[in-house]
Amino acid sequence: MIADINRYLPFAEALRCALDGERPALSWLVPLLTCAEADAPALYRAAEAVRAAHVGDDVHLRGLIEISNYCRRDCAYCGVRRGHEGVVRYRLSPDEIVETAQHIQALGYRTVVMQSGEDMWFTAERMAEVIRRIKATTDLAVTLSLGERDAETYRQWREAGADRYLLRIETTDPALFAALHPDDDLEERKACLYTLRELGFQLGSGVMVGLPGQTPEILAGDVIWLHELGAEMLGVGPFIPHPATPLGDAAGGTVEATLRLVAVLRLVFPYAHLPATTAMGSLHPQGRERALQAGANVLMPNITPPRVRGHYALYPGKVFPGDDAVAARAQIIAHIDAIGRTVSDGHGHVRRVACQEEMKDAHTE
Ligand code: SF4
């Protein structure tokens, strides 16, 4: 898409559109996503005001278990893609996953997130049993991030008790999606998200920032599509090139561009849960704190057993909390305290009714 500068509003007018709750449009999304360094603090302040007004000062902590790095796919940017033979593959057993979830509860977390490559060893029934066991022995909210599956599988996992599902679209541009995902289909991934929404999962998606060939217009188009989808959790991070992938020599995304997107998402989705992603912390020592100060309100500490933790390397330089999970949690809480925020003691479910009302209000103005 060719940028036409005349289509876009000046920064101050664009920010006003966002604060007025206007339906997302390229005319104001692009100027915010590409705003000058001098304008960025105003964008972050606006996002923080919306964040404080709608979801408060709480930061929700989700305990993350990376349950398997086996994957049937070959995404061009991913360090654990099927074709990367240098990866040490691992898969946690159902017993180990359930025990780790129980440990997560004992540490004080209220949500477990189970993430993996598209590992078909975890059949619908196997995974449903894991979910049932976690639900029977803990009070945790259960989030899944296990990739694309058929509708029947999603249904079984939902019936087993899973509350939320994260499936990033990564990009909604058909040509870019096809270039990045040689064995995947954009329409199929969208269909998965529609199915998850129909099944009543709290729905998470998101994109990568700084992909080769990605333009501000494409990124703005992603925001518009995510809004139409009604995503309730939005995870975004910079693209960090992995040297053992076809994109190993690409430039990669920046913290600054990602922060602008985090802030824009907060303005467009006032009630959503927005994680300050690990990729932000991997690219900059204060990346996650800066995201929390640009509209984000979720952190996902990695509680994967230390013996396998280093093998889930989607990108290089990934940061981990220390092996002592108690000390790591205390350190995370200290960081949250230091920026004047509080740690949520609830499950941190999406405020669905409020979110729908907010969208209706925005659309009728
Ligand atoms: S991004 Fe996900 S689906 Fe793609 S290769 Fe990596 S783990 Fe597999």
Side-chain angles (χ1 to χ4, degrees):
M1 195 181 298
I2 298 171
D4 175 359
I5 193 71
N6 296 319
R7 295 165 58 195
Y8 300 132
L9 297 170
F11 173 79
E13 282 180 47
L15 188 56
R16 176 50 48 204
C17 289
L19 290 169
D20 286 348
E22 287 196 16
R23 186 182 287 270
L26 291 188
S27 60
W28 59 267
L29 289 170
V30 171
L32 297 184
L33 291 168
T34 58
C35 72
E37 200 58 41
D39 289 328
L43 175 64
Y44 304 152
R45 276 196 304 276
E48 279 291 90
V50 170
R51 189 267 304 153
H54 292 85
V55 294
D57 286 340
D58 273 355
V59 176
H60 301 279
L61 302 181
R62 325 288 204 195
L64 172 67
I65 318 174
E66 291 156 341
I67 66 172
S68 167
N69 70 352
Y70 283 89
C71 189
R72 62 176 169 164
R73 303 241 183 242
D74 228 9
C75 305
Y77 47 80
C78 178
V80 302
R81 63 204 299 265
R82 187 187 69 232
H84 184 194
E85 293 176 356
V87 175
V88 176
R89 301 286 170 179
Y90 75 89
R91 177 184 292 127
L92 301 185
S93 69
D95 284 350
E96 198 169 9
I97 297 169
V98 174
E99 284 161 17
T100 306
Q102 291 165 346
H103 178 53
I104 281 172
Q105 165 143 305
L107 287 167
Y109 297 99
R110 305 297 306 276
T111 291
V112 59
V113 182
M114 289 178 277
Q115 185 170 56
S116 78
E118 290 192 13
D119 181 359
M120 305 311 278
W121 186 87
F122 284 105
T123 59
E125 181 47 41
R126 249 188 201 132
M127 199 63 217
E129 182 60 18
V130 169
I131 297 163
R132 280 192 290 270
R133 288 175 63 192
I134 292 172
K135 282 293 190 180
T137 58
T138 74
D139 179 43
L140 293 168
V142 170
T143 302
L144 303 177
S145 180
L146 306 175
E148 294 180 34
R149 296 296 184 102
D150 59 36
E152 173 58 19
T153 300
Y154 287 148
R155 189 188 62 74
Q156 286 191 41
W157 294 347
R158 178 83 181 113
E159 285 182 2
D163 301 282
R164 312 180 187 130
Y165 205 99
L166 311 176
L167 179 63
R168 281 202 196 178
I169 196 80
E170 302 297 6
T171 178
T172 57
D173 182 80
L176 185 54
F177 188 96
L180 297 170
H181 305 99
D183 53 8
D184 203 352
D185 183 278
L186 176 60
E187 293 309 313
E188 284 178 21
R189 188 165 301 192
K190 286 182 177 178
C192 285
L193 283 157
Y194 298 141
T195 300
L196 291 162
R197 185 180 60 187
E198 281 164 24
L199 288 168
F201 283 96
Q202 293 170 46
L203 189 60
S205 192
V207 299
M208 240 187 290
V209 179
L211 289 163
Q214 185 184 54
T215 63
E217 288 76 14
I218 289 177
L219 210 46
D222 295 340
V223 174
I224 293 168
W225 187 81
L226 289 166
H227 187 255
E228 288 168 0
L229 174 69
E232 298 165 306
M233 301 172 286
L234 293 141
V236 298
F239 162 54
I240 304 176
H242 191 298
T245 65
L247 300 182
D249 292 330
T254 65
V255 167
E256 285 67 29
T258 311
L259 286 171
R260 284 164 174 73
L261 178 58
V262 169
V264 165
L265 288 171
R266 173 56 68 201
L267 294 171
V268 174
F269 299 84
Y271 288 99
H273 287 310
L274 269 61
T277 55
T278 303
M280 288 292 275
S282 301
L283 210 53
H284 188 282
Q286 273 81 51
R288 280 174 292 193
E289 284 85 351
R290 290 179 69 188
L292 288 174
Q293 294 171 303
N297 69 329
V298 173
L299 286 172
M300 295 169 61
N302 194 322
I303 320 289
T304 305
R307 70 178 174 80
V308 296
R309 200 183 272 179
H311 300 314
Y312 201 85
L314 305 187
Y315 50 83
K318 185 172 164 183
V319 289
F320 299 104
D323 288 356
D324 180 340
V326 174
R329 182 177 159 89
Q331 193 176 31
I332 291 163
I333 291 172
H335 283 148
I336 293 169
D337 191 51
I339 59 170
R341 301 280 284 280
T342 48
V343 175
S344 166
D345 58 7
H347 285 108
H349 288 305
V350 164
R351 292 175 60 187
R352 184 158 278 167
V353 172
C355 189
Q356 286 167 350
E357 284 174 356
E358 172 71 18
M359 287 193 177
K360 193 177 70 195
D361 288 346
H363 293 172
T364 52
E365 276 179 9

